[in-house]
Amino acid sequence: MIRLERITKQFSPSAPPSVVDLSIEIPEGGTTALIGPSGCGKTTTMRMINRLIEPTSGRIVVAGEDVTKTDPVLLRRRIGYVIQQVGLFPHLSIADNIATVPRLLGWAEARISARIDELLALVGLDAGQFRARYPRQLSGGQRQRVGVARALAADPPVMLMDEPFGAIDPVARGRLQDEFKDILRRVRKTVVIVTHDLDEAIKMGDRIAIMREGRLVQHDTPDAILARPADDFVDTFVGPDRALRRLGLRTVDDVMGPPQEMQGPKARTGTSLRDALSMLLAANSRALLVVDAGGRPVGSVSRDAILDAHAGTAPPPVL
């Protein structure tokens, strides 16, 4: 668990504080997204966790240890860090980039080599093909994958991700978000991700912390924030389409009934209710068929079932 206790950061006596008396607990093993308008203090907050920025006052506790009293160099070796521009060393191969922290920690070369192969497989890159390449030979999405592999190399309990998908094109971004969410679920790290994109925060975060002018205004699950904004600022920030965003948190698997003989749209298992409703409206259909990866029918979902799910009633679908 990460706990920030009354953290304030004042860069200049003549300027307002960037972070003001901030207290927040980040649960162990989950992903918390920090979000808010530009200049709200979200990136400053994240960088204080690994002491790239020193707090002016307050206490930061990681896994029971007050990190404000820890050697910052040793601290950063225990915290994975992924940034928007990746920050790979251009003169090192992909293997050597991933090996950076394990070598600093004195790992044996055989252990490092095995870890490189393991992590490349985890992020979907073939070790035989990518080990000897250099960052300039990779696409933006591939470099981002290597950045995540490097951050995971020494198996740190905590990962910090600063706008990790911001430099990726929209099509690749959505795919990478899905893949990295699955990776983070499997490796069970405590993750703090900074983003300016509300949909990304909703998709990636088990919890969302919304900041404004250096202060925390709401910290809760995505569903709770979308359902019950804490104040007018949060209500405006999440937008008038927050009902549709809530539908994006659930899938057709949650509300489908038995498969039916029908003509109309088909959705794969795992499709969000938001996308399913869009498909129904586009096809002017009352129901859709849910199919598995092989195209076999496994269920059906009606418009009424989706609307009931949004209302919180979700009775068995009747088609």
Side-chain angles (χ1 to χ4, degrees):
M1 182 181 71
I2 302 170
R3 187 170 70 251
L4 279 64
E5 300 175 354
R6 306 198 67 175
I7 291 292
T8 292
K9 178 59 184 177
Q10 181 102 32
F11 284 101
S12 166
S14 60
S18 295
V19 176
V20 186
D21 198 31
L22 175 65
S23 294
I24 184 173
E25 289 192 359
I26 296 170
E28 183 177 354
T31 298
T32 295
L34 300 181
I35 190 169
S38 296
C40 71
K42 55 186 182 292
T43 297
T44 298
T45 298
M46 188 195 70
R47 290 181 178 175
M48 285 191 285
I49 294 172
N50 67 350
R51 292 180 61 193
L52 286 174
I53 295 174
E54 296 286 354
T56 303
S57 62
R59 203 164 79 108
I60 300 171
V61 178
V62 178
E65 178 183 4
D66 183 350
V67 301
T68 57
K69 299 176 181 177
T70 301
D71 181 330
V73 175
L74 296 178
L75 172 69
R76 288 173 205 140
R77 291 178 186 174
R78 305 199 316 260
I79 295 178
Y81 189 42
V82 183
I83 60 176
Q84 178 175 331
Q85 299 300 332
V86 186
L88 299 178
F89 299 116
H91 61 290
L92 295 182
S93 69
I94 298 311
D96 287 336
N97 264 283
I98 295 172
T100 301
V101 173
R103 284 195 176 124
L104 288 172
L105 295 175
W107 286 23
E109 283 300 318
R111 182 184 177 192
I112 292 173
S113 181
R115 183 65 171 161
I116 291 167
D117 289 348
E118 177 188 357
L119 288 169
L120 286 173
L122 181 69
V123 299
L125 297 175
D126 179 75
Q129 184 179 357
F130 287 94
R131 252 179 168 271
R133 290 191 183 183
Y134 286 83
R136 65 180 180 275
Q137 298 172 305
L138 273 58
S139 69
Q142 289 169 340
R143 287 194 296 271
Q144 200 67 55
R145 292 168 189 268
V146 174
V148 170
R150 185 176 66 178
L152 289 168
D155 200 19
V158 174
M159 282 189 65
L160 307 179
M161 306 181 77
D162 190 2
E163 300 277 5
F165 310 109
I168 309 297
D169 69 82
V171 174
R173 185 184 308 146
R175 185 174 66 251
L176 283 173
Q177 288 169 349
D178 289 336
E179 291 175 1
F180 287 140
K181 186 172 182 178
D182 181 59
I183 289 169
L184 294 175
R185 186 182 299 114
R186 282 183 277 155
V187 297
R188 294 296 296 168
K189 304 296 182 185
T190 302
V191 180
V192 179
I193 180 170
V194 165
T195 178
H196 67 277
D197 185 327
L198 180 61
D199 286 325
E200 182 169 275
I202 292 168
K203 187 174 190 177
M204 299 295 294
D206 301 305
R207 297 180 70 83
I208 297 175
I210 300 178
M211 297 182 66
R212 180 189 188 192
E213 296 177 351
R215 299 180 185 274
L216 181 68
V217 290
Q218 189 167 3
H219 178 215
D220 213 325
T221 64
D223 188 62
I225 287 174
L226 293 172
R228 297 177 296 278
D231 57 21
D232 290 342
F233 167 76
V234 178
D235 189 32
T236 301
F237 185 79
V238 298
D241 59 345
R242 59 189 176 93
L244 288 175
R245 285 188 160 117
R246 283 190 74 200
L247 287 177
L249 297 171
R250 301 183 66 184
T251 71
V252 291
D253 309 61
D254 298 324
V255 300
M256 69 181 181
Q260 304 284 331
E261 291 289 339
M262 65 176 71
Q263 298 294 321
K266 296 178 182 178
R268 285 273 297 272
T269 54
T271 299
S272 73
L273 293 185
R274 179 178 181 173
D275 289 345
L277 181 59
S278 178
M279 293 168 66
L280 287 170
L281 293 174
N284 193 26
S285 176
R286 291 185 61 249
L288 58 76
L289 190 65
V290 181
V291 297
D292 64 16
R296 295 176 291 271
V298 295
S300 54
V301 174
S302 70
R303 261 192 283 184
D304 288 344
I306 295 174
L307 296 177
D308 287 339
H310 172 258
T313 56
V318 177
L319 303 177

